[in-house]
Structure formats: structure tokens, C-alpha cells
């Protein structure tokens, strides 16, 4: 069974500083996809960044980047130059690379507070 | 309105009521999903529809009944719910089910069962 663990229920960061959110996962698969989703207080979840397990290069999207450690099954999200709009719940998600299944397995989330 | 919409946004119902949640996607996607989001628990996938056919049913109690009349609309019919069914119900869609395309989420329906 695939499980996703986010060990930090809450995090806070000063505006303009950098914060890293942790995520680990458990799988016996070699091919899969990893995602970070952001859920602002209005509750509509949006994709922040995705990583294909077969790619060694860490994904980046503007101020968001990941540290993907396949052997350690770790997938952390780094937010640089934090902004007030980054305050939200962040969910790490895993998807096995199986045909016929776009099922996501989510962690319990990390609530990020940005301090002005 | 664009993206994925859900109505109602809030719903309070008694255990003997029957109600329905509605989801509509304006993205031309072929796959739609229902998730249950409870506090301090991972999102739970409930149902998946691909091209209007149910392809996943993750051991969801029969008091939840999904319906997908076309690829743009998804309903979740509720009857004789329990207080533990109170949660945020999220709808999502993706271009196809059998791919790694991202899922686009709606804002959710906050359900309270009294």
C-alpha cells in the first residue's frame, strides 16, 4: 500500500524568508509521480509542482522547488521569498505510474502561516 | 464560470434527509472524482468516473451514491448519513483517467450531518 506522510502539521515563515515542507512516502514501485498541492483558505486546491520519479533533476516553478530523494523516498517543498499569499494548507500527493489509474494518495497536510 | 464548480458550498442535513451534491467542470475533461476531506486525515478518494463510467469505488458506504450523467457533471446523492460523514467533499477532474495529468479541484461542499 502506498502511504504519504507529512510530519509537520503546522509551519510558519517570516515574509521574504525561505521555508521547507517535508514529505515522505512509502512505495514498492519504481515509476510514479509526486505532487504538491496548495489549498488556500477558500479551499480550492491547486497544483504547485510535480515531479516524475524517473527524472533526476528536481522540479522548479518560480519560487517553488523540490528536493526529491528517491532512495530516501523523500519529497520536500521549498518556498523561497515567502509571500503572504503563500499561506495555505499544503498537501503532498503520490500517484503510481500504472495504466488505468490516475488515483492520488495524499498526506495529511501542512498548514503554512506567513508572518508579515 | 470556469474550472470546476460545486454546489452547494455549505449543507446541513439531518440523518434522515436526502440531498445531492453537484459538481460541474468547464474544462472539457473526461475523468471526474469525488474526495472526502476530514480534519487531520488524508484526502480519501471515493469515486472515479471516466467517460461517464464508474471505474473506482473505494469501499464507500452505500449511503453515498454517485451519478455521472455526462462528462461535465457529477453528482453525489446522500441519504441516511451519519454524523461522522460530516466533512468537506471535493470534486476534481482531469483530462483522462489513465494518465498522470494533474487533477483540477473544485472549492468543495462543507457538509454537516446533525
Amino acid at each position: 500500500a502506498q502511504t504519504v506522510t507529512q510530519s509537520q502539521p503546522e509551519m510558519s515563515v517570516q515574509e521574504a524568508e525561505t521555508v521547507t515542507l517535508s514529505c515522505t512516502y512509502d512505495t514498492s514501485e519504481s515509476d510514479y509521480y509526486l505532487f504538491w498541492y496548495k489549498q488556500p483558505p477558500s479551499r480550492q486546491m491547486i497544483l504547485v509542482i510535480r515531479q516524475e520519479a524517473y527524472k533526476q533533476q528536481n522540479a522548479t516553478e518560480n519560487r517553488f522547488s523540490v528536493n526529491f530523494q528517491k532512495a530516501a523516498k523523500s519529497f520536500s517543498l521549498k518556498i523561497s521569498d515567502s509571500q503572504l499569499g503563500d499561506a495555505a494548507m499544503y498537501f503532498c500527493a503520490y500517484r503510481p505510474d500504472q495504466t488505468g489509474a490516475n488515483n492520488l494518495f495524499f498526506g495529511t497536510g501542512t498548514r503554512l502561516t506567513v508572518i508579515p | 464560470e470556469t474550472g470546476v464548480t460545486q454546489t452547494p458550498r455549505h449543507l446541513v442535513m439531518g440523518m434522515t434527509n436526502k440531498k445531492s451534491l453537484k459538481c460541474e467542470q468547464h474544462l472539457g475533461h473526461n475523468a471526474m472524482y469525488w474526495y472526502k476531506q476530514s480534519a487531520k486525515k488524508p484526502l480519501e478518494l471515493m469515486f472515479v468516473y471516466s467517460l461517464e463510467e464508474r471505474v473506482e469505488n473505494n469501499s464507500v458506504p452505500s449511503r453515498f451514491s454517485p451519478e455521472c450523467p455526462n462528462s461535465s457533471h457529477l453528482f453525489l446523492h446522500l441519504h441516511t448519513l451519519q454524523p461522522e460523514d460530516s466533512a468537506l467533499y471535493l470534486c476534481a477532474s482531469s483530462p483522462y483517467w489513465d494518465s498522470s495529468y494533474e487533477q483540477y479541484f473544485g472549492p468543495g461542499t462543507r457538509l454537516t450531518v446533525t
Side-chain angles (χ1 to χ4, degrees), chain A residues 9-10 89 107-109, chain B residues 37-42:
Chain A
E10 296 184 357
M89 283 289 289
T108 51
Chain B
Q37 184 177 18
S38 305
K40 300 183 180 179
K41 294 177 68 176

Side-chain angles (χ1 to χ4, degrees), chain B residues 4-78:
Chain B
V4 181
T5 58
Q6 291 185 243
T7 54
R9 295 293 304 274
H10 300 272
L11 178 62
V12 179
M13 59 186 289
M15 290 191 286
T16 58
N17 290 159
K18 289 185 179 180
K19 296 286 184 184
S20 295
L21 310 185
K22 179 183 176 182
C23 174
E24 184 173 0
Q25 57 96 0
H26 310 266
L27 301 168
H29 290 170
N30 290 310
M32 297 187 76
Y33 311 77
W34 277 118
Y35 288 90
K36 176 183 179 182
Q37 184 177 18
S38 305
K40 300 183 180 179
K41 294 177 68 176
L43 269 75
E44 302 170 52
L45 180 64
M46 301 175 71
F47 301 104
V48 182
Y49 276 81
S50 175
L51 296 171
E52 302 153 41
E53 289 192 15
R54 190 190 307 180
V55 293
E56 287 278 343
N57 177 358
N58 288 349
S59 303
V60 179
S62 60
R63 57 186 184 268
F64 294 91
S65 174
E67 179 190 1
C68 188
N70 54 64
S71 59
S72 299
H73 293 86
L74 184 65
F75 294 89
L76 188 62
H77 303 300
L78 316 171

Side-chain angles (χ1 to χ4, degrees), chain A residues 78-93:
Chain A
K78 185 171 83 171
I79 306 174
S80 304
D81 185 26
S82 297
Q83 301 175 358
L84 295 178
D86 295 333
M89 283 289 289
Y90 286 82
F91 293 93
C92 178

Side-chain angles (χ1 to χ4, degrees), chain A residues 39 44 50 95 100 102 106, chain B residues 37 42 97 99-100 103 105:
Chain A
Q39 189 179 39
Q44 192 138 14
R50 61 175 273 166
R95 179 200 177 270
N102 190 14
F106 285 85
Chain B
Q37 184 177 18
W97 174 53
S99 72
S100 63
Q103 294 182 17
F105 286 82

Side-chain angles (χ1 to χ4, degrees), chain A residues 5-24:
Chain A
T5 302
Q6 294 180 250
S7 59
Q8 307 154 315
E10 296 184 357
M11 291 282 285
S12 62
V13 62
Q14 204 76 30
E15 194 176 2
E17 296 296 310
T18 296
V19 64
T20 299
L21 309 183
S22 301
C23 173
T24 58

